[in-house]
Amino acid sequence: MKKHLQYYLSSALNSYAVLFFSKNKILGALLFVVSMFEFNAGLTGLIGVMASLVLVTALNFNKEDIKTGLYTFNSLLLGIGFGTFFSFNFTFWLWLSAACLLCVVLSVNLLSLLGKYSLPTISIPFIITFWLVLIAANGYQGMGLVQKSSSLLFELNTGAPTNFAKLCGFFDNLKIPAYALLFFRSVSAVLFQNSVLAGLLISIGVFIHSRIGFSLLLVGFITACLVNHLTGTYPDGVSNYYLGANFMMVSCAIGGFFLIPSWRSYAWAVAVIPFAFLVLNGLSRLLAIYDLPVFSMPFCLITIGLLYFFMLRKNPGKLQLTIFQNYSPETNLYQFLNGQERLKDFQYFHLSLPFMGAWTVSQGYQGEITHKNDWQHALDFVLEDMDGKSYDLPGIKPEDYYCFNKPVLAAGDGIVQEVISHIDDNIIGQVNLEQNWGNTIVIKHAEHLYSKVSHLKKNSIKVSAGDKVKQDDIIGLCGNSGRSPEPHLHFQVQATPYIGSKTLAYPFAYYASGNNTVLKSFAIPTKGETIQKAEINAYLKHAFYFQPGYINVVTDDQANKETWEVFTDVFGFTYFYCRENQAIAYFVNNSNVFYFTRFYGDRKSILFLFYQAAYKINYSTHRVSDCYAVDSENFRPSLWLQDLLAPFIIFTKNTYSNYIKPDNDGLTIHVETKKQVFKHQTRISNAEIYLDSKGIIGMDFIYKNRTLKVKWETGLV
């Protein structure tokens, strides 16, 4: 019973909060309270939400989708609209029930239809449903519906001057600038109200939820008022409903919700306002023919139209759409910035070094000799000795060069596309300009992604066109064919399968640089850099190579116990799930590293401490330096200034570092986290993770001047 109540409460609050692009329960509760300022409208709005929730739940729609509020927030608007436009009678409840059913059907269908194109429905189901109700009510003897005196009621009820009415009147007549009063009235208009107090409370809730969102409401309001002042479109001033439900909401949607907040998205939040004037005024004239209000249809059409417009770009550039929606502009931004640095595993096909041992880059991108113009993104590799020489004396024949006759490896899984293997190796100092690339192999790894190795030894190639190869398969030997005055290995990535294709800038996934001192990930080596494959520590890889079905139990010295199990979601992403508190921590583990990507749930749990301590682990035991995404989901006023400035400048970050030392029969991972504001750093916590041949055996967490010891056991249910 308790779970059912929690489900309906959470879903209902999300139905309110999503009106302002949020899933914040506090904002949802505040919007519910404010909706009750107009009691009849607030009551019918609540009835619409709950009736729709019961309907979609009874019909077995996905509960996780239902809990977001996306199936039901249009029914909330519909209920508020009914209570605002019509008086209560028997037919009121009959047609409200029918309209709610239609609204739910439209919501589900449009979510599915537009969802195929990654587009939102916003409030289109409410608008279409209520237009149909108004058209029907204007004929057929009104279908028994009794309309209130004005076509749009934004005034509070004026009857007996109750204490609440006096309070609202006090705020409506505050001695503050008229534009400030208009701003709050405009915010309240989203709930079909015209109340400064309602708008003030909503504004406070929106600000606590999102500083970026609130700033964009201001941007939309100021820009719309300025445009109206310059053009004189509305001589008596812009309607507070037009301001709130269209201009301010479209600015908020485009500037910070559906686009990653940046100065570019803010520029679009300003630029879209004149566009919104044009659409709103044109639609208003058309709809006036049928005596229909425009509602928020301009906002819906502009938002959906612009999003689809942005999606059609060949290259998104720096104006980025929000791919994974966190329902918080700050979280969207911080996760995006953090992911740009950390989540390259999902952005690139993994290419590894095409050789064994430590090789040196003799010519890098945009090289001085041959890597120019369309072929500028290429690398040449040689083997060098301690003195930096690439050959053994006398160096007059190919065999004198250290890299000659050494194995060349496939950089990634794929299918061999082209092979040339018959070209003679050159005499040292001479080049073959007619057969420029020499003996060559081209491998297809994915659509529009090919790797090419050239200047291979004659008749050394071990594959043929059409062969399937795995990463690190030996495919040939380094030689001196083609335009190669001395033995070296040429490597490039290209978008087409042809020998001589233009090159692409593309990183190697993981490699060790500088005599195995630094592990680099998704980077492009530079001239003079010596690189090699990272050596993997078997203890580390075994300890952190968690697979679906893995179960462990952790117990701290306060007798708190948590059971964690590893699952894979429908998108193929892997995560820990805590049975006791339902916390979830997503992670990646590949052949080189383990790292966490996202945490949801109780931040007082042991799983969250482990998420912070094992944020990134290199299997090669190299030191790690990393940054957490800024956590904007808790109530943290100390971050509010950063939130406001985040689209333009980041000056706060939490850093993570670790190093690994052998310890008795295992390893100890020493972890330190710090908070950095500009260049000033303060320590947040320390941790130690203990490993032996069986895996993780325990952890110590040092934070807030206390130490928490945790025991780790596996194979327990």
Side-chain angles (χ1 to χ4, degrees), residues 472-489:
D472 293 338
D473 283 352
I474 297 176
I475 56 177
L477 302 176
C478 183
N480 194 38
S481 57
R483 188 176 179 179
S484 177
E486 63 181 59
H488 71 282
L489 177 64

Side-chain angles (χ1 to χ4, degrees), residues 85-101:
F85 277 72
F86 304 111
S87 299
F88 287 176
N89 59 19
F90 168 75
T91 55
F92 176 94
W93 302 108
L94 173 65
W95 297 123
L96 175 62
S97 302
C100 274
L101 176 59

Side-chain angles (χ1 to χ4, degrees), residues 542-554 562-570 572-580 583-589 594-596 607 610 696 712-717:
H542 171 69
F544 286 91
Y545 205 67
F546 305 112
Q547 295 297 302
Y550 175 92
I551 299 174
N552 70 286
V553 174
V554 292
E562 292 182 9
T563 306
W564 304 343
E565 186 170 357
V566 176
F567 293 95
T568 301
D569 67 14
V570 294
F573 300 130
T574 314
Y575 62 93
F576 277 107
Y577 172 77
C578 179
R579 294 177 181 175
E580 285 76 12
I584 290 174
Y586 277 89
F587 65 86
V588 170
N589 56 6
F594 169 94
Y595 61 92
F596 281 107
L607 181 57
F610 180 59
I696 301 174
W712 183 298
E713 299 175 277
T714 58
L716 302 175
V717 181

Side-chain angles (χ1 to χ4, degrees), residues 138 183 705:
N138 288 334
F183 173 81
N705 298 319

Side-chain angles (χ1 to χ4, degrees), residues 329-628:
E330 285 82 2
T331 304
N332 288 343
L333 174 59
Y334 294 140
Q335 289 293 332
F336 172 78
L337 294 176
N338 191 249
Q340 279 189 312
E341 297 298 322
R342 304 191 73 242
L343 304 184
K344 293 179 180 178
D345 277 282
F346 303 108
Q347 300 173 25
Y348 294 102
F349 183 91
H350 289 203
L351 294 180
S352 69
L353 300 181
F355 45 73
M356 302 175 187
W359 292 50
T360 300
V361 180
S362 59
Q363 186 181 192
Y365 282 15
Q366 301 172 346
E368 301 88 350
I369 307 171
T370 55
H371 299 171
K372 299 180 181 296
N373 302 321
D374 289 342
W375 302 276
Q376 63 182 301
H377 301 124
L379 297 165
D380 289 342
F381 297 100
V382 297
L383 277 170
E384 292 184 344
D385 59 21
M386 297 289 290
D387 297 323
K389 290 184 178 181
S390 61
Y391 60 89
D392 198 6
L393 294 175
I396 58 175
K397 58 184 185 297
E399 290 79 3
D400 293 338
Y401 286 76
Y402 302 127
C403 67
F404 187 78
N405 217 32
K406 294 297 188 293
V408 175
L409 313 179
D413 297 355
I415 299 174
V416 178
Q417 298 292 300
E418 293 282 349
V419 171
I420 296 177
S421 62
H422 65 278
I423 300 172
D424 292 332
D425 290 290
N426 300 321
I427 298 171
I428 298 301
Q430 296 183 9
V431 295
N432 181 351
L433 297 179
E434 292 183 1
Q435 297 163 311
N436 183 75
W437 300 105
N439 299 311
T440 296
I441 303 172
V442 178
I443 300 174
K444 179 180 180 180
H445 303 291
E447 290 300 322
H448 310 298
L449 183 67
Y450 301 80
S451 67
K452 180 169 80 76
V453 288
S454 296
H455 310 312
L456 304 182
K457 183 181 178 183
K458 181 180 180 180
N459 296 327
S460 72
I461 294 177
K462 305 179 183 301
V463 294
S464 303
D467 287 353
K468 292 183 179 180
V469 294
K470 302 293 288 183
Q471 189 175 79
D472 293 338
D473 283 352
I474 297 176
I475 56 177
L477 302 176
C478 183
N480 194 38
S481 57
R483 188 176 179 179
S484 177
E486 63 181 59
H488 71 282
L489 177 64
H490 175 95
F491 177 86
Q492 69 182 52
V493 178
Q494 55 195 52
T496 54
Y498 312 111
I499 294 175
S501 295
K502 298 178 181 180
T503 58
L504 293 176
Y506 205 88
F508 289 112
Y510 297 94
Y511 62 89
S513 175
N515 296 320
N516 201 29
T517 58
V518 178
L519 181 70
K520 292 192 174 181
S521 58
F522 299 95
I524 297 169
T526 58
K527 181 182 178 181
E529 188 176 2
T530 299
I531 61 176
Q532 64 187 79
K533 295 179 184 293
E535 296 179 7
I536 303 302
N537 183 285
Y539 274 15
L540 273 175
K541 185 168 183 177
H542 171 69
F544 286 91
Y545 205 67
F546 305 112
Q547 295 297 302
Y550 175 92
I551 299 174
N552 70 286
V553 174
V554 292
T555 308
D556 66 21
D557 54 12
Q558 305 297 317
N560 296 309
K561 177 182 175 181
E562 292 182 9
T563 306
W564 304 343
E565 186 170 357
V566 176
F567 293 95
T568 301
D569 67 14
V570 294
F571 301 104
F573 300 130
T574 314
Y575 62 93
F576 277 107
Y577 172 77
C578 179
R579 294 177 181 175
E580 285 76 12
N581 54 43
Q582 291 75 55
I584 290 174
Y586 277 89
F587 65 86
V588 170
N589 56 6
N590 55 42
S591 58
N592 289 274
V593 297
F594 169 94
Y595 61 92
F596 281 107
T597 59
R598 196 77 171 88
F599 181 87
Y600 302 92
D602 184 4
R603 281 170 163 72
K604 295 181 180 179
S605 64
I606 303 174
L607 181 57
F608 181 66
L609 294 175
F610 180 59
Y611 163 84
Q612 290 184 306
Y615 194 58
K616 183 176 182 181
I617 307 294
N618 288 335
Y619 295 154
S620 57
T621 72
H622 285 93
R623 285 177 176 264
V624 171
S625 295
D626 206 342
C627 287
Y628 300 102

Side-chain angles (χ1 to χ4, degrees), residues 286-305:
L286 288 173
L287 293 171
I289 299 172
Y290 302 98
D291 294 322
L292 293 177
V294 72
F295 290 128
S296 57
M297 184 57 84
F299 153 65
C300 296
L301 294 179
I302 293 168
T303 301
I304 293 172

Side-chain angles (χ1 to χ4, degrees), residues 590-694:
N590 55 42
S591 58
N592 289 274
V593 297
F594 169 94
Y595 61 92
F596 281 107
T597 59
R598 196 77 171 88
F599 181 87
Y600 302 92
D602 184 4
R603 281 170 163 72
K604 295 181 180 179
S605 64
I606 303 174
L607 181 57
F608 181 66
L609 294 175
F610 180 59
Y611 163 84
Q612 290 184 306
Y615 194 58
K616 183 176 182 181
I617 307 294
N618 288 335
Y619 295 154
S620 57
T621 72
H622 285 93
R623 285 177 176 264
V624 171
S625 295
D626 206 342
C627 287
Y628 300 102
V630 177
D631 181 13
S632 62
E633 296 182 4
N634 291 331
F635 184 79
R636 299 178 65 186
S638 61
L639 272 178
W640 285 356
L641 178 61
Q642 173 63 96
D643 292 341
L644 282 169
L645 299 178
F648 312 100
I649 182 174
I650 300 291
F651 58 82
T652 298
K653 62 180 179 180
N654 292 335
T655 63
Y656 168 91
S657 62
N658 73 40
Y659 64 93
I660 299 169
K661 283 189 174 182
D663 183 25
N664 297 327
D665 296 328
L667 299 172
T668 299
I669 304 173
H670 301 269
V671 178
E672 184 176 45
T673 63
K674 294 180 179 180
K675 180 178 181 179
Q676 180 174 324
V677 180
F678 293 107
K679 294 184 179 181
H680 178 70
Q681 288 188 338
T682 55
R683 185 178 68 87
I684 300 174
S685 65
N686 290 80
E688 292 182 338
I689 304 173
Y690 305 107
L691 312 163
D692 66 9
S693 59
K694 296 180 181 179

